[in-house]
Amino acid sequence: EAQVTQNPRYLITVTGKKLTVTCSQNMNHEYMSWYRQDPGLGLRQIYYSMNVEVTDKGDVPEGYKVSRKEKRNFPLILESPSPNQTSLYFCASSPVEGKGQPQHFGDGTRLSIL
Amino acid sequence: KNEVEQSPQNLTAQEGEFITINCSYSVGISALHWLQQHPGGGIVSLFMLSSGKKKHGRLIATINIQEKHSSLHITASHPRDSAVYICAVRFSGSARQLTFGSGTQLTVLP
C-alpha cells in the first residue's frame, strides 16, 4: 500500500531534549516536505527536499533541521526543542513538486514540549 | 505579500445541499491544491489545479487564473463530507514552497 509513515504519532517531552520525527515513503517520490499546523495559523511549511541531499527552507525553519540521505526517508530533527514547537506535524511527499503533483500526507505527529 | 484567503471560515449545511468553498490569492501561481482534513487530523489531497476544472465523484474544483480565484464545490452533500477543506498554492517564482489558506470547517447535518 502506497503510504507516508510518520513516527511517533504522539510525543510528550521536555525542553532541550533532542528528538527526531521520522518520515518514510514507499512511492519512490522525489519531493518530500514537513509542515506544522497550529490553531489560528493553519499549515506552514518548515523544510522541503527536492531529492537526495537537496533540502531547502520553508516559511518557518527556525529550530529545525532535516536531512535527506536516502530517497525514502526525510527525518525532522529538533536539536533543542522549546515549548513554542508544540504543534501537529505532517510529512508529505509527491513525485515531482515542480510538476504540481498532488501530495501524499502522513497521519501526523502530535508533539508536546513541556 | 503572498496571501491565500478562504471563505467562508465555517459552513453548516443540510444533507443534500450544494456547497461552495472559495479560495483567493494575491499574485500569480503555478499550482493550486485542495486538501481535506478529517476530524481525526489526517490530510488527503483532493485536487491539484493549474487551469480549468477537475471533477471527482461529487467534488468539482475550478480555477480562474485571471481572477486569481478557485472554488471547490460539493454536490449532494453528505454528513461524511464534514471536514476542514484547505486551499494551498505555489506562487510563481517561489521555488517549491506551498502557502496555505486558513481552512473552511464544513459541517453537514443529516
Side-chain angles (χ1 to χ4, degrees):
Chain A
E1 180 189 350
Q3 59 186 1
V4 177
T5 304
Q6 294 179 227
N7 279 296
R9 293 290 314 281
Y10 304 90
L11 179 64
I12 301 173
T13 188
V14 295
T15 298
K17 185 176 180 182
K18 180 180 178 180
L19 68 92
T20 299
V21 185
T22 63
C23 175
S24 180
Q25 50 94 3
N26 61 0
M27 295 166 280
N28 201 37
H29 286 168
E30 288 83 8
Y31 180 87
M32 297 185 76
S33 183
W34 276 104
Y35 305 96
R36 61 178 289 175
Q37 186 177 36
D38 303 288
L41 297 175
L43 281 157
R44 293 177 292 168
Q45 192 167 31
I46 304 171
Y47 270 96
Y48 61 93
S49 169
M50 295 297 295
N51 213 325
V52 176
E53 303 292 1
V54 181
T55 63
D56 210 343
K57 296 177 181 178
D59 292 324
V60 288
E62 296 79 17
Y64 304 94
K65 284 176 57 176
V66 292
S67 68
R68 188 91 182 271
K69 294 184 172 55
E70 304 165 283
K71 199 171 187 180
R72 62 183 292 127
N73 295 323
F74 190 45
L76 180 69
I77 303 156
L78 285 71
E79 294 268 3
S80 182
S82 62
N84 65 11
Q85 293 176 299
T86 292
S87 188
L88 178 58
Y89 291 85
F90 289 97
C91 178
S93 73
S94 67
V96 178
E97 172 58 16
K99 298 291 186 185
Q101 298 291 322
Q103 295 197 7
H104 298 253
F105 285 80
D107 289 335
T109 295
R110 193 167 291 280
L111 202 51
S112 294
I113 314 293
L114 304 177
Chain B
K1 183 181 175 184
N2 295 344
E3 292 184 337
V4 180
E5 292 191 2
Q6 281 187 241
S7 63
Q9 281 193 315
N10 295 282
L11 180 57
T12 300
Q14 290 295 135
E15 183 173 357
E17 285 185 5
F18 180 84
I19 289 162
T20 296
I21 299 169
N22 298 298
C23 177
S24 298
Y25 46 91
S26 53
V27 296
I29 65 169
S30 51
L32 182 143
H33 299 254
W34 279 104
L35 310 173
Q36 179 192 53
Q37 186 167 25
H38 300 294
I43 297 176
V44 173
S45 180
L46 298 174
F47 297 103
M48 190 287 300
L49 297 162
S50 54
S51 63
K53 177 179 175 179
K54 286 191 177 180
K55 183 174 189 291
H56 184 258
R58 294 179 295 106
L59 302 177
I60 303 166
T62 64
I63 188 167
N64 185 316
I65 297 296
Q66 288 74 27
E67 294 188 4
K68 297 184 178 60
H69 181 267
S70 175
S71 293
L72 176 68
H73 304 287
I74 305 175
T75 62
S77 59
H78 189 276
R80 65 174 174 266
D81 297 324
S82 297
V84 176
Y85 292 84
I86 302 168
C87 168
V89 306
R90 189 172 72 252
F91 290 106
S92 300
S94 68
R96 301 294 184 259
Q97 294 170 258
L98 283 182
T99 302
F100 295 84
S102 56
T104 296
Q105 172 70 63
L106 171 66
T107 304
V108 181
L109 302 174

